[in-house]
Amino acid sequence: MSSVFLPDEAATIAFAGRLAPLLIAGDCLLLDGDLGMGKSTFARALIRARLGDPALEVPSPTFTLVQIYDGAPPLWHFDLYRLSDPDELIELGIDEALAEAISLIEWPDRGEGVLPRDALRLTFAEEGAGRRVRLSGRRVGELAAAL
């Protein structure tokens, strides 16, 4: 599977729940797509599933740029929408996140040149009444087979 159709929010949450336990330290997920395509819904669901707490408060890192969640491994959620320069990612600790954690990165185009080229990219796009998520990059074959 290099793409999956998500007819509604419940399907997005379920997809994130299936993917969450498959991730390992060093995985970097680039969540790409226009506003309103479900990137934040997916990220929140994946964080909740990974940490085993469906009621966990998962604030958007739009203003803080990054939220860090303890876990084994830790999970870093970046929102680069307000990033003014990709080099700011170094100050935010991107090197540590990429080496030791699972990284979820919304608006990855703002981090061009700093983010890994082989990261797992999930591209969210409108399709009919739902969304299609296309997967590409590192580990896509392995993860798609397990989903």
Side-chain angles (χ1 to χ4, degrees), residues 30-41:
L30 306 179
L31 309 180
D32 207 1
D34 292 335
L35 281 171
M37 288 297 111
K39 299 179 304 289
S40 294
T41 297

Side-chain angles (χ1 to χ4, degrees), residues 13 44-58:
I13 293 167
R44 285 185 177 104
L46 190 139
I47 292 165
R48 289 178 180 131
R50 183 74 196 187
L51 299 178
D53 185 352
L56 179 69
E57 178 68 28
V58 180

Side-chain angles (χ1 to χ4, degrees), residues 4-8 12 32-39 122-134:
V4 61
F5 178 71
L6 305 171
D8 54 29
T12 301
D32 207 1
D34 292 335
L35 281 171
M37 288 297 111
K39 299 179 304 289
L122 284 75
T123 304
F124 292 73
E126 190 171 12
E127 183 175 304
R131 307 288 183 262
R132 174 142 323 258
V133 179
R134 299 194 190 289

Side-chain angles (χ1 to χ4, degrees), residues 89-112:
L89 277 168
I90 304 303
E91 296 170 28
L92 293 173
I94 191 69
D95 291 337
E96 179 183 349
L98 293 173
E100 303 171 5
I102 296 166
S103 302
L104 298 175
I105 303 176
E106 295 185 60
W107 299 101
D109 57 315
R110 309 276 167 101
E112 193 73 34

Side-chain angles (χ1 to χ4, degrees), residues 10-11 13 19 23-24 29 41 43 52 55 98 115 145:
I13 293 167
L19 184 59
L23 300 175
I24 59 173
L29 281 70
T41 297
L98 293 173
L115 298 174

